[in-house]
Amino acid sequence: VESMTIHPTCSAFQLGMMGDVEKVARAAATEVHIPTAWNCCGYAGDRGMLHPELTESATRAEATQVTKLGAQYHASTNRTCELGMTRATGEDYHHVLEMLERATR
C-alpha cells in the first residue's frame, strides 16, 4: 500500500516491540508514519466504551496529527486501541498483520 499510520500501543511500547511492528508495517507500506504525539488511547479494556470522553481526551493531539498525515491506511496491534483510534480519527484502524495480509494478497 502507499502509506500507513501506526498507533503504538502501551503494551507494544513497554515490551520493546515497536521496532518489530514498524518492520511489519514497512513490509506492507511504502511510507510508514508513527505519530510523535501518540499517547495511551485511554480505551483501557471497556473504559472507552463506557466513558468515551477518556479516549477523546487521551487521543486529541494524536488524532490531529493523524489527520494531517493523511495516510491511506491506519493500523495498531490491539483491537480495543483500534476501536478507540477509529472513533478518535474517523479512520478505520486494523491490526498491522491484517494490513500486511491485505498488501500481499
Side-chain angles (χ1 to χ4, degrees):
V1 299
E2 183 180 315
S3 59
M4 185 185 312
T5 294
I6 302 295
H7 167 72
T9 62
C10 300
S11 58
F13 181 77
Q14 291 294 326
L15 292 170
M17 295 173 43
M18 283 311 300
D20 293 331
V21 171
E22 187 175 353
K23 284 181 190 175
V24 171
R26 291 197 183 283
T30 303
E31 191 176 325
V32 174
H33 307 282
I34 298 177
T36 56
W38 82 272
N39 195 0
C40 174
C41 71
Y43 215 82
D46 66 351
R47 298 292 91 188
M49 287 182 235
L50 301 173
H51 304 282
E53 66 276 9
L54 294 174
T55 299
E56 181 182 345
S57 176
T59 59
R60 190 170 292 125
E62 182 179 356
T64 298
Q65 190 176 20
V66 166
T67 300
K68 289 178 184 175
L69 290 170
Q72 181 182 14
Y73 292 103
H74 299 79
S76 192
T77 60
N78 177 288
R79 187 61 190 138
T80 56
C81 295
E82 293 160 16
L83 292 170
M85 291 308 299
T86 294
R87 181 184 292 163
T89 65
E91 300 289 348
D92 288 330
Y93 274 73
H94 299 279
H95 197 282
V96 68
L97 293 176
E98 289 180 64
M99 300 311 302
L100 179 62
E101 187 276 332
R102 181 180 293 183
T104 58
R105 260 187 215 164

